[in-house]
Amino acid sequence: MSKNHKLKELTLKMIGENELSRKKLLEEIRKQSNISDKTLNEILMSFLKEGKIYITGYDFDVYDGIKRIQSIKADGIIFSVIKTDPLDINILINQLESDDPTEVKNASHKLKIIFRGKIDEMENSTSKDLNTNNKALLFNRIIYYLNTQPQDQKTVLKNKLAWSLSSEKGSTDLLKNLINYIESQSE
């Protein structure tokens, strides 16, 4: 196993355990292995490109109390692993019903990222073209439809949505069918 491969595994493991800023990630990795800034940047960019991680926010602590910020430091970017297991997705869907607005916002943000990735995957396999705005509207329509259903139907739809957004075999076809079903119900 190459040194770079081990660094990739270590990086993904650390991001998977905790959402970390680039600065904190670099500090943690350097406790176990010698890594340059450029190597970490290359690893992070490859993970972003592959859709394994995503950016969840920004840590303003990297500015050490500076009030007037005029530049963006890459060290403040916070990364998280994209979990596409149906159970993890179902948990996010259930968090949409939370009383905590921050939890709802975070769950919605994560689900939209997964949804956009899945729609992009569908577009790559078909000629159907949805712009980013339409993807967000489609996601919102699905969630709205789901929330207007009786509890037993809602549970079934949640499970199907969770499965369709996962990386499981047949999930893309299930998402297409779910979208078509919801669009037909909305007409």
Side-chain angles (χ1 to χ4, degrees), residues 56-70:
T56 59
Y58 195 84
D59 180 7
F60 288 96
D61 292 341
V62 298
Y63 292 101
D64 295 325
I66 297 173
K67 299 224 189 291
R68 188 167 179 235
I69 301 169
Q70 296 177 324

Side-chain angles (χ1 to χ4, degrees), residues 60 64 110 112 117 132 149 158 164 176:
F60 288 96
D64 295 325
K110 290 175 183 178
K112 284 179 182 178
T132 303
Q149 299 307 300
K158 277 183 183 180
S164 70
K176 288 177 191 175

